[in-house]
Every structure is written in structure tokens, then in C-alpha cells.
Amino acid sequence: EKGTEFWAYGGDYGEGMPSDENFVCNGIISADLNPQPALWEVKYAYRNVSFQKEGDGYRISNLHDFIDLSNYEIGWTLSGNGKKLYSGVLENFNLEPRSDILIADPVPGPNTESRPDIPIHGPSSNLNLEPGVEYFIDFSVRLKKAKPFRPAGFEVAHEQFKLSDWQPLPAPEISTDALVIKESGDILEVTGINFVIRFDKTEGILSSYEINGFELFREGPRPNFWRPPNDNDKGSNMLKRLGIWREVSNEAQPSSFESSQPEKGLVLVEVQYDHEKVNSKQTVTYKILGDGTIDVITRLETGDSDLPDLPRFGLRWELPVSFDNLEYFGRGPHENYIDRNRSAFVGLYEGKVTDQYYKYVRPQENGYKTGVRWFNLRNENGVGIRVSGNPIVGFSALHNPLEDFDMLDENDFRHTNDIVKKDGVFICCDLKMMGVAGDNSWGARPYPEYSIPAKDYQFSFTLKPVF
């Protein structure tokens, strides 16, 4: 019989069953007592104070059975593009167990009328919302006084709401600075006032992005459909079910390379791939503008109707190892995925690339961020590159390529100590990556809404130097 005692020791009972010792150390707290990224999602799910948007206000619910909220402080913050604009505290606030109350928007504003039936007032609709700025309201519930294992100020609940009154910026003027194209053997060179961009026509990649003589790239974007299987992927036979997409990624070679200059300040480069194993085509288009900005657009056209789901749809490339300073505007600060990101709130975050890697006992997919508007990677002198989504992307930036975390086969039993930092910053930038699943570790797959059916897709992002 397939007894739970045997499973706990990592027994192998055929396809889809956990088969290595990692099955007993893949919880939400590691053996060295470090919290795993999933712990923050569990904390969010288990919160006992919740918030819902309701009309022009917010409903706060105390889900405790016996505890009121007298020992908790509820603070709020209004931010614009991740920067704090206003903040405050709900004064003299309390809520009995298993009860709720509707409050008005706490953000101050002109033309606010008193509402005696609602303790807080000041609708943020009265604010002067600037074009190009995303506004969010965050609520945070913290302990006023220390409790066992929890210091004063410990956050027990957090929620975020996006204001709907967002206006896009006017379309920027396109630079008309003249560009010069030169071809030399297998190299296409595009030169501007202070930059040189080179393409390897044989490989079909943007091989060099040089600004004022400083190289921003080590290797240019390539198609990528694969992610290193996590524990749940291993249990659901991802290698067998979806492995063809790893083959497509590893074997992608350009079938055509074309360039043109429709205007003096615009160069178009189009690379096409014929993914014969899946009877599909992919096009990567680079729009180079006169100021050195590069718009990257990639399209996938699938040819068969019975293809397996895609693990991800994106591009991957490599930057110099010195680009270790990361800043981004998106969901964070911890690792998050499309079915595990409710606890990761949109904000402006910064840190080191080195610290984005989470050391799972068995090497696997890690360090990902979703809902990202843009991210910067810079060296110690502040020189680097910005990647801006149109409108959002998912990305990871690590000091190891995904091959270091990948499973070679079902008998690959590497551990985290086998991962050695490489001499580069490896970027994966995606339209979407499938969810991590998690209903169980012996067959469960991502829910349909967190899967990526094999069909036609397109996404784009912009590359631009930063100083």
C-alpha cells in the first residue's frame, strides 16, 4: 500500500510520486529556520483582519473569534509609482470579534464632507492625479504592544488597492537623430550619436549594446519557453509532459534575419525562428530609435492544436556581473509567481542580484517577480540598463543561468551547495510564466487560469541605458 509513513521518507511509487529526500524539507520554513518565500503567502491567507473595497470606501473585517482590535494599529499609506505621498493612522479605532465596518477613504482631500456615520473621511478622488503615475493605497495592521514571539510593531495583516484613476503619459516624441547602418560579414552594426548596437546575423541575437564605449550586454536575447522544474513540477512529471519546450528553447536557431531603415532615426531588425518540433514560428523584432532606445517585440504563432502548455513565454539574456544593483517597480519584495503573489504588493524595491536567489535544498526555479512595470540593473557607478514592460512583465535576475537550476533527468539529485555563482547577471523576461501549483506535490498541476495554453502570443518591452 502507498502508506503516508513510506512517503514521508521519500519512497518512489511510480510516475508522479515524490522520489527524493527533498520531499521532507520543502515546507515553508527551511531546516536552518529561514522562512521560504511561500511563508509570506501563507501569512496573507491566514490573516485575521481583512479589507475589501466597497463603493467609495473600504470595509474592514475582524475575523478573530474572541479578540477585538484594541491592541492593533491600522495605518494607511498612499503611494505614487512606489513613492509614499500620504500616510496616517485610523485614530481611536477598534472592532469587536467577528464584526466589520465601512470606512471612507482615509486620504485627505479638499471638498470632503463630514460623514458622522463613517469614522474616517477624505476621498482620494479629490487628489490631483498626475498622468503616468500609478496610485496605490496600502493598509497595514500592526501590534501596539509586544506579544509572545511578536514584538511591538509586528505586522499581522496587509492589503493593497490600486486607484482606478490612472492616466497614461502623452506619447513621447520619437528621436529623429540619424542612425547609420553598416554590415561587416556576419555583423550588423547600428551607430548613433553616443552608442553602437551590433547584431550577430548568424545567431540572430543582439550581441553588443555599447553606450559611450561601455558595454551593457554579454549575450543578447534568445527565445525561452522553459523553467527549471520546482518540487511540484517534478511530482507532476513536467519533464515528460512539457519537456518538448525545453528542446525548442535549446535548439532555437534563426531561419531569417532582415534589417531596414524606414526613417533616418529608426532601424528595424527582424529575426524569425522556425520551431519545427512544435510546428510553430516566432518573430523577434528590434526597433532601434535615434536616442539608443530599443523596443523589443516578440510574437509566437503556434501551428498545432494539440501542443502541451508552455512553461513560460519570454526571452533570456546576460549582462555583465557588475550589474548587481537591482531596482524595480512591481510585486515584491519576495519571490512571487502568478498563483502565489497576493502577499507581494506592488512597490518600489531595490537590492542586490545576489540576494534574489533563494537557496532551495534541491536546485529549482527561484527568484521570480510578477507584475513588473520596469526594472533597472546598474553597476557600482550607476551605469546600467532599464527594462520597461508594455505594460508589465515578469522577470528574474540571478547570478546563475536557468541550466544551473534545471533537472537533467529524474535521477538528478543535486543540492543547493552544488550551485556556484557565475560571472554574469542572467535575465529572464517574460510575458508570463505558469504558476507553481501546490495542491499537492505528487501530481497537481497549475490551475487553468495560471497555465499557459499553447496558442498565439505577443509581448513587448523597451531597453534603455541608465546613468
Side-chain angles (χ1 to χ4, degrees), residues 59 132 134 201 231 325 340 378 389 405 439:
R59 185 167 297 279
E134 284 189 274
K201 295 190 292 182
D231 290 327
N325 297 296
R340 203 187 75 197
R378 307 179 192 232
F405 308 112
D439 282 0

Side-chain angles (χ1 to χ4, degrees), residues 263-275:
E263 303 173 24
K264 67 177 184 179
L266 174 65
V267 170
L268 299 178
V269 174
E270 183 175 284
V271 184
Q272 183 166 305
Y273 299 85
D274 292 333
H275 302 312

Side-chain angles (χ1 to χ4, degrees), residues 37-90:
L39 177 64
W40 306 112
E41 199 75 5
V42 173
K43 179 181 178 180
Y44 177 85
Y46 286 0
R47 69 200 186 285
N48 280 315
V49 183
S50 68
F51 300 81
Q52 291 83 35
K53 187 76 173 74
E54 190 170 314
D56 292 330
Y58 300 89
R59 185 167 297 279
I60 305 177
S61 300
N62 180 5
L63 305 180
H64 288 102
D65 290 322
F66 308 106
I67 302 173
D68 66 21
L69 299 185
S70 59
N71 191 40
Y72 296 95
E73 178 182 270
I74 300 182
W76 59 268
T77 301
L78 176 73
S79 63
N81 283 355
K83 298 180 180 180
K84 183 168 73 173
L85 303 176
Y86 297 93
S87 64
V89 174
L90 305 189

Side-chain angles (χ1 to χ4, degrees), residues 259 350 401 414:
S259 62
E350 60 181 62
R414 288 177 297 162

Side-chain angles (χ1 to χ4, degrees), residues 246-445:
R246 178 166 68 175
E247 297 177 27
V248 171
S249 299
N250 292 340
E251 299 172 8
Q253 292 294 325
S255 56
S256 67
F257 182 100
E258 298 179 359
S259 62
S260 62
Q261 189 171 16
E263 303 173 24
K264 67 177 184 179
L266 174 65
V267 170
L268 299 178
V269 174
E270 183 175 284
V271 184
Q272 183 166 305
Y273 299 85
D274 292 333
H275 302 312
E276 296 180 356
K277 285 194 172 182
V278 289
N279 190 26
S280 302
K281 296 182 182 297
Q282 182 177 1
T283 302
V284 182
T285 302
Y286 301 88
K287 295 174 62 176
I288 304 171
L289 306 182
D291 61 357
T293 298
I294 306 175
D295 291 331
V296 184
I297 307 102
T298 182
R299 303 177 184 86
L300 176 68
E301 299 177 13
T302 54
D304 293 338
S305 59
D306 58 348
L307 292 172
D309 290 349
L310 282 67
R312 75 195 316 161
F313 175 50
L315 299 172
R316 56 183 295 207
W317 64 93
E318 183 182 351
L319 303 178
V321 69
S322 60
F323 287 16
D324 191 50
N325 297 296
L326 170 66
E327 182 183 23
Y328 71 96
F329 181 38
R331 289 190 176 272
H334 51 273
E335 164 194 293
N336 59 90
Y337 296 82
I338 58 174
D339 58 351
R340 203 187 75 197
N341 66 4
R342 293 290 300 277
S343 64
F345 300 101
V346 176
L348 189 61
Y349 303 105
E350 60 181 62
K352 297 291 187 180
V353 169
T354 301
D355 298 329
Q356 307 310 306
Y357 168 46
Y358 186 82
K359 297 180 180 180
Y360 291 104
V361 172
R362 183 184 69 78
Q364 57 190 276
E365 164 62 36
N366 74 91
Y368 201 67
K369 310 294 190 300
T370 63
V372 175
R373 282 66 173 167
W374 56 262
F375 64 94
N376 291 340
L377 287 156
R378 307 179 192 232
N379 65 14
E380 64 278 4
N381 297 318
V383 178
I385 192 168
R386 169 172 286 205
V387 181
S388 301
N390 296 315
I392 61 174
V393 295
F395 88 99
S396 64
L398 301 165
H399 281 305
N400 294 83
L402 63 82
E403 285 80 6
D404 284 5
F405 308 112
D406 202 4
M407 287 179 60
L408 303 179
D409 53 45
E410 290 290 345
N411 296 313
D412 184 353
F413 296 117
R414 288 177 297 162
H415 293 79
T416 188
N417 57 290
D418 296 314
I419 303 300
V420 178
K421 177 183 173 182
K422 296 295 195 302
D423 188 29
V425 174
F426 299 86
I427 308 298
C428 289
C429 184
D430 307 315
L431 169 68
K432 190 176 181 182
M433 183 201 290
M434 69 180 185
V436 297
D439 282 0
N440 60 53
S441 293
W442 49 88
R445 305 177 186 180

